[in-house]
Amino acid sequence: SMAKIGRPAVGQAPVIGVRLPIGWSRQINAIARETHSTRSKVARALIGAALAARKIKGDDGVVPIDMDVARSFVALWHYAGDVPTGKNTAFGWFIESELYAVAVYGVGVFHNQHQFLARESGLPVERGNVLELRRLCRIEPPRKDRQLSQFIAACHRILKKDHGVRFVVSFSDPARGHNGGIYRASNFKHFGQTRPETHTIAANGEMVARTLVHFRATRARQSLAEMREALGVRQQVTRPKDRWMIDLG
């Protein structure tokens, strides 16, 4: 599709015509629909990141991308549907003018995990030199000529060179059918499992903040069990997740 070039109204930025491949138009429409965003906002973000990627030589178009772009992509292609809050760094893999994969790195929710990893691995893992790979996803169906391990390796080269990161940790969830194959292929090492987590689940299957139950129970002077019954929610214990770490050297 082709955006028309027109004379801008007073106080508005010029309209720039950009010819988009058919696949891009479908992707923009899908992301806009899934994220309840405007098509133009999604298009500007994706096109801007694509133009930046074309200026990069090597690594098959792997570049840092804006978090708004990452969130839109994750909402469309990752089973979790969102990006954890906090300070995150995102990378995009552009192949033939298409955003093919996204990786989001950041500080994990386990604030003292660097101490555990240092103890278990015998390596100098510190709070300031480790990041967690928090989200990793690609479009479907996947390309047979590209592997996510290539994308991860390119991201790690950038993290090591530009951010001083030496260690990356991530987790695979057996409950989602993930056995950690992508981490093995990317030279991560297995460092045991996390403890089971207890989540509060609503009748429709969505997760509810545990603080809500505590707050309501305190105000109503009820036990947590009584409040869970009143709210129609239940507790669910998750399976442990597998922990993986790589030393970037």
Side-chain angles (χ1 to χ4, degrees), residues 170-217:
S170 194
F171 301 88
S172 57
D173 190 352
R176 294 286 186 173
H178 297 168
N179 61 8
I182 181 59
Y183 301 121
R184 293 190 187 92
S186 301
N187 297 318
F188 282 69
K189 294 183 178 180
H190 187 251
F191 282 94
Q193 293 183 314
T194 63
R195 295 177 180 177
E197 298 178 1
T198 301
H199 297 294
T200 302
I201 308 298
N204 61 1
E206 293 185 358
M207 192 179 302
V208 178
R210 284 173 289 185
T211 53
L212 173 65
V213 179
H214 281 266
F215 177 74
R216 293 281 186 88

Side-chain angles (χ1 to χ4, degrees), residues 33-199:
R33 185 168 57 251
E34 291 288 334
T35 60
H36 306 291
S37 183
T38 63
R39 187 178 187 277
S40 61
K41 182 178 180 180
V42 174
R44 285 196 302 270
L46 291 178
I47 293 168
L51 293 176
R54 290 177 180 176
K55 299 178 183 178
I56 303 298
K57 300 297 182 182
D59 286 339
D60 216 328
V62 175
V63 293
I65 60 174
D66 184 84
M67 281 307 306
D68 286 337
V69 179
R71 288 189 190 94
S72 297
F73 193 90
V74 167
L76 187 60
W77 295 110
H78 196 279
Y79 65 83
D82 63 2
V83 173
T85 58
K87 185 178 181 180
N88 295 310
T89 299
F91 298 96
W93 190 8
F94 289 88
I95 301 175
E96 297 176 359
S97 300
E98 181 177 37
L99 181 54
Y100 176 69
V102 162
V104 179
Y105 294 80
V107 178
V109 296
F110 305 109
H111 296 296
N112 293 321
Q113 70 175 341
H114 64 284
Q115 297 175 349
F116 171 86
L117 293 170
R119 184 173 62 251
E120 292 295 310
S121 68
L123 296 169
V125 186
E126 301 174 359
R127 191 188 301 274
N129 66 5
V130 60
L131 283 182
E132 180 181 319
L133 174 52
R134 312 186 79 183
R135 292 288 185 268
L136 176 67
C137 55
R138 66 184 172 196
I139 64 174
E140 296 290 345
R143 295 177 58 118
K144 295 182 179 180
D145 60 338
R146 298 290 192 277
Q147 303 297 323
L148 280 179
S149 56
Q150 298 173 257
F151 176 42
I152 291 175
C155 293
H156 290 176
R157 285 193 289 271
I158 299 173
L159 286 173
K160 179 181 178 181
K161 179 181 177 182
D162 297 341
H163 299 268
V165 175
R166 176 170 173 180
F167 302 98
V168 174
V169 64
S170 194
F171 301 88
S172 57
D173 190 352
R176 294 286 186 173
H178 297 168
N179 61 8
I182 181 59
Y183 301 121
R184 293 190 187 92
S186 301
N187 297 318
F188 282 69
K189 294 183 178 180
H190 187 251
F191 282 94
Q193 293 183 314
T194 63
R195 295 177 180 177
E197 298 178 1
T198 301
H199 297 294

